[in-house]
């Protein structure tokens, strides 16, 4: 197994990729059904929270999800943006500032260690970010922190890379079928490049692992939204009881 990238190495890669992550039509192209999931998640948030007042987007990139959400909501929520990459944050803030009269605030750093106010967000968006977590303790600590940041009745919306528990299924779904998708997206060299940086940077967990962990740390109403091969979107809510 390769030694995993440090946060600084991940930051440096994303600093160079702002333009690609600003495409609202494709989202992150290597993520299966990226545009579909962006539409699905933001539509659901809009309908469930008609008076949305506060959003935290961790690993916000260039702010696509927030732009898409603000195109739909009638309220003017506060939008807090967190990312390792300052160029990503700058682009996200530039795009989002004109779309809400609420506070648009940026946080540069790792959500696990960034000081954020507990019980303060209606919604947390976490897309293509949690796969950077490492061991089981890291995953549980991160999920507990995310739970603590939500208001009662708040929810976290996740879209990410997942893996299969069964090694043969992992080979079929990830290496073969997702590999074919990447090849068709560009070519075999591109497929190999994507597989290489996933191996270098990411530590995905299975969908079942994550859904069970969300419940274990206190989330309720855990729901699967969409799964296609090695990508899935899902949501979990915090109890309305304080």
């Amino acid at each position: 197994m390769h030694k995993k990238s440090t946060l600084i190495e991940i930051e440096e890669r994303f600093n160079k990729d702002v333009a690609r992550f600003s495409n609202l039509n494709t989202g992150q192209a290597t993520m299966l059904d990226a545009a579909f999931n962006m539409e699905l998640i933001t539509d659901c948030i809009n309908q469930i929270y008609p008076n949305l007042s506060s959003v935290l987007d961790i690993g916000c990139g260039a702010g696509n999800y927030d732009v898409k959400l603000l195109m739909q909501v009638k309220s003017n929520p506060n939008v807090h943006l967190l990312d390792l990459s300052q160029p990503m944050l700058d682009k996200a803030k530039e795009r989002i500032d004109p779309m809400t009269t609420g506070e648009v605030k940026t946080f540069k750093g790792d959500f696990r260690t960034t000081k954020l106010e507990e019980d303060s967000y209606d919604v947390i968006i976490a897309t293509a970010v949690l796969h950077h977590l490492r061991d089981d303790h890291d995953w549980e600590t991160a999920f507990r922190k995310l739970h603590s940041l939500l208001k009662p009745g708040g929810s976290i919306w996740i879209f990410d890379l997942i893996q299969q528990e069964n090694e043969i299924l992992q080979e079929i779904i990830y290496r073969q079928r997702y590999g074919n998708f990447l090849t068709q997206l560009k070519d075999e060299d591109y497929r190999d490049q994507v597989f290489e940086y996933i191996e270098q940077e990411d530590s995905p967990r299975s969908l079942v692992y994550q859904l069970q962990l969300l419940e274990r740390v206190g989330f309720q109403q855990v729901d699967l939204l969409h799964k296609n091969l090695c990508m899935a979107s899902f949501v979990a809510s915090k109890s309305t009881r304080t």
Side-chain angles (χ1 to χ4, degrees), residues 75-78 96-104:
S75 60
N76 282 281
N78 297 329
I96 293 161
D97 264 335
M99 301 186 72
T100 180
T101 58
E103 176 188 57
V104 181

Side-chain angles (χ1 to χ4, degrees), residues 147 214-215 218-223 235-241:
H147 183 272
L214 286 165
E215 291 185 329
F219 283 98
Q220 299 183 340
Q221 296 180 339
V222 178
D223 275 306
V235 57
S237 300
K238 187 173 182 176
S239 173
T240 56
R241 296 192 299 272

Side-chain angles (χ1 to χ4, degrees), residues 42 45-46 49 52 68-77:
T42 55
I45 293 171
N46 178 42
Y49 298 92
L52 183 70
K68 195 74 170 179
L69 180 60
L70 291 169
M71 290 169 64
Q72 301 177 60
V73 299
K74 293 182 171 62
S75 60
N76 282 281

Side-chain angles (χ1 to χ4, degrees), residues 41 45 48-49 121-126 130 143 146-147 150-159 210-225 233-239:
I41 287 173
I45 293 171
I48 292 172
Y49 298 92
Y121 297 103
D122 294 320
V123 162
I124 296 175
I125 296 171
L130 297 178
F143 275 28
L146 293 168
H147 183 272
L150 289 166
K151 297 176 183 176
S155 52
I156 182 166
W157 301 77
I158 299 168
F159 172 48
Q210 293 183 65
L211 297 179
Q212 291 178 340
L213 181 58
L214 286 165
E215 291 185 329
R216 188 160 73 245
V217 303
F219 283 98
Q220 299 183 340
Q221 296 180 339
V222 178
D223 275 306
L224 173 64
L225 300 173
S233 61
F234 44 106
V235 57
S237 300
K238 187 173 182 176
S239 173

Side-chain angles (χ1 to χ4, degrees), residues 25-173:
N25 294 321
T26 62
Q28 189 173 343
T30 57
M31 301 284 285
L32 288 156
D33 299 336
F36 171 84
N37 278 283
M38 189 189 313
E39 180 68 36
L40 175 63
I41 287 173
T42 55
D43 180 41
C44 289
I45 293 171
N46 178 42
Q47 294 195 52
I48 292 172
Y49 298 92
N51 300 308
L52 183 70
S53 65
S54 53
V55 177
L56 170 66
D57 188 346
I58 62 170
C60 65
N64 279 346
Y65 272 76
D66 310 285
V67 170
K68 195 74 170 179
L69 180 60
L70 291 169
M71 290 169 64
Q72 301 177 60
V73 299
K74 293 182 171 62
S75 60
N76 282 281
N78 297 329
V79 180
H80 289 182
L81 305 162
L82 190 151
D83 203 276
L84 294 174
S85 168
Q86 190 61 52
M88 289 286 192
L89 287 169
D90 292 343
K91 175 56 74 172
K93 192 171 192 304
E94 172 191 311
R95 298 170 77 198
I96 293 161
D97 264 335
M99 301 186 72
T100 180
T101 58
E103 176 188 57
V104 181
K105 186 174 182 180
T106 62
F107 300 84
K108 182 184 183 303
D110 182 345
F111 79 89
R112 295 170 295 183
T113 55
T114 301
K115 186 171 178 54
L116 299 163
E117 187 176 349
E118 294 188 355
D119 302 309
S120 59
Y121 297 103
D122 294 320
V123 162
I124 296 175
I125 296 171
T127 59
V129 62
L130 297 178
H131 59 245
H132 293 309
L133 297 172
R134 296 305 183 214
D135 60 20
D136 288 345
H137 179 265
D138 194 20
W139 278 84
E140 181 165 346
T141 301
F143 275 28
R144 288 190 185 281
K145 176 166 185 177
L146 293 168
H147 183 272
S148 75
L149 298 175
L150 289 166
K151 297 176 183 176
S155 52
I156 182 166
W157 301 77
I158 299 168
F159 172 48
D160 217 328
L161 173 70
I162 59 171
Q163 68 174 22
Q164 301 297 136
E165 297 284 6
N166 182 290
E167 290 184 5
I168 299 174
L169 283 176
Q170 177 70 3
E171 173 68 23
I172 296 167
I173 287 173

